[in-house]
Amino acid sequence: METRVNFMKYLRRTILLGTSLILFGLASTNTVSVKADSSITSTTISAPNISDQTYYHSSATQLAKMVRSGKVTPQQLIEHAVAKIKADNPQLNAVISLREDQAMKEAANLKDTGQPFYGVPLLIKGLGQPIVGSSNTRGLVPLADQKATTTSSFVQRLQSMGFIVIGQTNFPELGLINITNSALNGVAHNPWNHADNTGGSSGGAVASVADDIVPVATGNDAGGSLRIPASWTGVIGLKPTQGVIEGDDTTPSSVNFADAKNIQDMQTLFNGMLATSDHSGDAMLKSVPKNIKKIPIAYSTKSPVNTPVSKDAVNAVKQAVSFLRSKGFKVVKANSPVDGVKLMHIYYLESTGTGTSANNLIKSVTGKNMTFDDVSPMTWALYQADQKQPANADTTVQNELNLVNRQMTAFHKKYPLYLTPTTAVTAPKNTDPAYLPQYVDKLRDIGNLDHNQQIQTIYDAWLHGLTKTPFTQLANLSGEPAISLPTYVSKQKMPLGIQFEAAKGNDKLLLKVGAYFQDNHKFKMLDNYR
């Protein structure tokens, strides 16, 4: 990890960049209708065409080949996706805005220059990936009418690869929680069971992939926001090495990437999204050994914060370990050397700037400082805690990040791959609060506490939610890549992913491991259970 990291500066611009952190908020059950960013017209495209089932069960790579061969047009693919949204979104609330007219125009003007995803419909996360003219609320009620005035370099790169953006997916306020729910956009319901949540904060993205609306949907990840919902909806979620993807900072912060159902799509997308300034993305990557079976793998099912881990999560890892050993891999039991409780205290310490950024945004629109009722209780608590942030906070965090870097560098020299559950449990019910109700009043009055008490109160309030997802934050604060693979389904017919983490720059190794599981038919997705 770079020693000059200033994580506080990142967090103070978190909302302005629209990135997503994993904190925890309240659950509700409201839903919202898809919002059109322009008038929607019905466009009928003449044959040839493909069936709905062919569209649902094809990878992005396969769809692009169909377009290029003349079996289907980009406009027809958009029609398939939009029809699926209109049929299923009232139950899922995965898509929060639709740009059908613009997408049809872009499809009509699309030129074949060999793009790998030529003419394939894509949904992007409504947070941190702005596209001009579409919603840019950050999930804040006072910003409900804000539209993006620019398109990010990340989204532009996606378009250059042939994708056609058809809309935006649901996310929680500021991306702060490990479920997808907010006062503005409502709950994203899990396609496996509508009473369950998708996870967060890229919850709308994974729901749209699991439900076959699109084969790939983008998101971002600063504490598990791509991997947690991937685990809970049975799709693939990759969090790349910090700074390797176009538009991402090289210091520990949020990373942009995607969730998908096919590892080849992920591999192609990864190669196409690498940062190109001075070939910086390629320069960060390490070569992959020809025989990955010679790579030692450590595994653990112990929660980093000493909380319970379900039998399902343990069984998911044991199942993977048994498979790997049967194929000749060396897999040994070993826990991460990092103190997870201390790590999360540092994580929350640095998250306080998110609250101040929220206040600044709201004040720029309303002319007034935000109130408790304007935002979630935790956004309010972060804002209050930031007012008492000590002057040495940056140094405290930097020292801890340096320690984590040393610890994980040494660990990966012995064990290049680290296997854990992605989440400690299967998806929670939408009625399960992400933090317990008795903490709401404590968060409301947190301004009366001293700073140490504030951070402890924040940790205590979040522990109910963190207990469900304690495995993902390490990769973010270490800057390492991690991937969630959909290899397990519980007796209750709910998915739970396994996570592989590797040293910085070993993203392609993780993708190759994912390909090994896919090639051996170990992926278990919703399509297999319908």
Side-chain angles (χ1 to χ4, degrees):
M1 184 179 297
E2 296 181 21
T3 57
R4 58 186 180 82
V5 170
N6 190 333
F7 203 49
M8 174 61 78
K9 286 185 178 179
Y10 155 67
L11 283 161
R12 289 193 182 280
R13 64 178 190 270
T14 293
I15 306 169
L16 296 176
L17 293 174
T19 53
S20 88
L21 297 170
I22 295 296
L23 308 175
F24 309 91
L26 292 175
S28 67
T29 57
N30 58 310
T31 60
V32 296
S33 300
V34 175
K35 303 168 186 176
D37 291 314
S38 69
S39 61
I40 296 178
T41 60
S42 178
T43 306
T44 301
I45 307 298
S46 60
N49 203 338
I50 59 174
S51 69
D52 284 342
Q53 291 303 312
T54 298
Y55 174 77
Y56 299 156
H57 298 139
S58 296
S59 68
T61 303
Q62 290 169 334
L63 291 176
K65 289 180 180 178
M66 292 179 202
V67 172
R68 190 162 277 121
S69 68
K71 291 182 179 179
V72 67
T73 67
Q75 293 95 324
Q76 288 167 338
L77 293 184
I78 293 170
E79 286 185 334
H80 283 289
V82 170
K84 185 71 166 169
I85 291 170
K86 292 179 178 179
D88 294 358
N89 203 58
Q91 294 77 42
L92 296 178
N93 195 32
V95 181
I96 59 171
S97 75
L98 188 62
R99 57 190 305 271
E100 185 179 2
D101 257 5
Q102 296 96 321
M104 283 294 189
K105 291 175 183 176
E106 290 165 12
N109 294 323
L110 191 65
K111 305 298 181 184
D112 186 357
T113 59
Q115 308 96 309
F117 299 113
Y118 177 55
V120 178
L122 179 73
L123 287 164
I124 60 174
K125 189 173 181 178
L127 176 69
Q129 298 172 354
I131 184 168
V132 65
S134 290
S135 172
N136 193 31
T137 67
R138 288 81 162 181
L140 295 164
V141 173
L143 274 60
D145 296 327
Q146 284 208 344
K147 304 288 186 183
T149 58
T150 60
T151 298
S152 71
S153 61
F154 177 80
V155 175
Q156 290 177 29
R157 180 68 69 80
L158 292 166
Q159 293 172 318
S160 75
M161 296 183 74
F163 281 119
I164 300 173
V165 178
I166 62 171
Q168 296 171 297
T169 58
N170 200 357
F171 63 94
E173 180 181 291
L174 310 179
L176 291 180
I177 58 178
N178 65 350
I179 59 172
T180 293
N181 172 41
S182 68
L184 182 62
N185 293 321
V187 172
H189 298 267
N190 198 311
W192 290 70
N193 183 346
H194 293 169
D196 292 346
N197 200 268
T198 58
S201 63
S202 304
V206 294
S208 66
V209 172
D211 191 58
D212 299 327
I213 293 172
V214 288
V216 176
T218 65
N220 33 47
D221 189 319
S225 284
L226 283 164
R227 293 160 288 150
I228 291 168
S231 173
W232 285 345
T233 58
V235 300
I236 307 164
L238 173 69
K239 178 259 166 196
T241 295
Q242 186 68 54
V244 77
I245 297 298
E246 171 63 30
D248 286 349
D249 289 342
T250 56
T251 55
S253 56
S254 180
V255 296
N256 289 285
F257 200 60
D259 295 286
K261 293 189 296 182
N262 183 280
I263 203 73
Q264 182 184 357
D265 286 348
M266 295 290 266
Q267 291 170 328
T268 303
L269 180 63
F270 179 79
N271 292 335
M273 295 304 295
L274 291 174
T276 54
S277 176
D278 298 324
H279 302 285
S280 55
D282 281 319
M284 297 177 68
L285 297 179
K286 298 177 182 178
S287 60
V288 181
K290 290 183 179 180
N291 185 1
I292 61 172
K293 292 183 180 181
K294 293 182 179 180
I295 298 173
I297 302 172
Y299 79 94
S300 175
T301 58
K302 181 180 183 295
S303 165
V305 293
N306 304 315
T307 49
V309 175
S310 71
K311 289 183 179 179
D312 282 319
V314 172
N315 289 340
V317 171
K318 286 184 176 180
Q319 186 182 82
V321 169
S322 178
F323 163 69
L324 290 166
R325 286 174 173 167
S326 73
K327 295 296 185 178
F329 288 84
K330 179 182 179 182
V331 189
V332 300
K333 192 171 186 178
N335 298 323
S336 156
V338 176
D339 182 337
V341 174
K342 185 179 179 183
L343 183 78
M344 292 311 301
H345 273 86
I346 291 294
Y347 192 86
Y348 298 148
L349 176 68
E350 288 312 303
S351 300
T352 62
T354 305
T356 297
S357 295
N359 181 68
N360 292 341
L361 279 172
I362 291 172
K363 190 174 182 179
S364 70
V365 172
T366 66
K368 300 177 182 179
N369 288 325
M370 71 185 189
T371 67
F372 179 83
D373 294 329
D374 286 332
V375 294
S376 74
M378 193 55 72
T379 300
W380 174 258
L382 293 172
Y383 172 50
Q384 294 298 308
D386 201 46
Q387 311 310 303
K388 298 181 180 180
Q389 192 84 324
N392 67 346
D394 285 359
T395 300
T396 300
V397 171
Q398 186 60 65
N399 290 340
E400 180 63 18
L401 296 181
N402 290 341
L403 173 61
V404 170
N405 182 58
R406 293 194 299 271
Q407 290 173 321
M408 291 309 294
T409 297
F411 183 76
H412 283 306
K413 285 182 178 179
K414 190 173 183 180
Y415 305 112
L417 290 169
Y418 182 43
L419 168 64
T420 67
T422 306
T423 55
V425 295
T426 56
K429 298 295 181 184
N430 282 314
T431 54
D432 180 17
Y435 50 87
L436 299 176
Q438 60 260 37
Y439 285 101
V440 174
D441 287 339
K442 292 181 179 180
L443 296 175
R444 181 194 299 268
D445 300 328
I446 200 170
N448 298 324
L449 303 178
D450 66 38
H451 189 262
N452 287 336
Q453 292 173 324
Q454 288 176 329
I455 296 300
Q456 186 61 50
T457 299
I458 288 170
Y459 182 94
D460 293 342
W462 266 323
L463 190 57
H464 179 67
L466 177 62
T467 297
K468 300 177 179 67
T469 60
F471 295 101
T472 55
Q473 295 81 13
L474 174 59
N476 298 93
L477 294 184
S478 66
E480 296 179 342
I483 193 169
S484 180
L485 302 177
T487 62
Y488 180 87
V489 174
S490 72
K491 291 181 179 179
Q492 291 73 36
K493 298 294 190 295
M494 291 302 294
L496 190 149
I498 56 170
Q499 176 179 255
F500 284 92
E501 184 172 340
K504 285 179 283 189
N506 277 308
D507 307 64
K508 290 188 175 182
L509 171 60
L510 294 180
L511 288 165
K512 190 168 183 178
V513 170
Y516 192 84
F517 274 81
Q518 179 175 283
D519 292 345
N520 281 276
H521 310 290
K522 293 300 178 181
F523 285 177
K524 297 180 180 179
M525 296 178 177
L526 183 56
D527 287 344
N528 305 125
Y529 292 84
R530 282 176 159 165

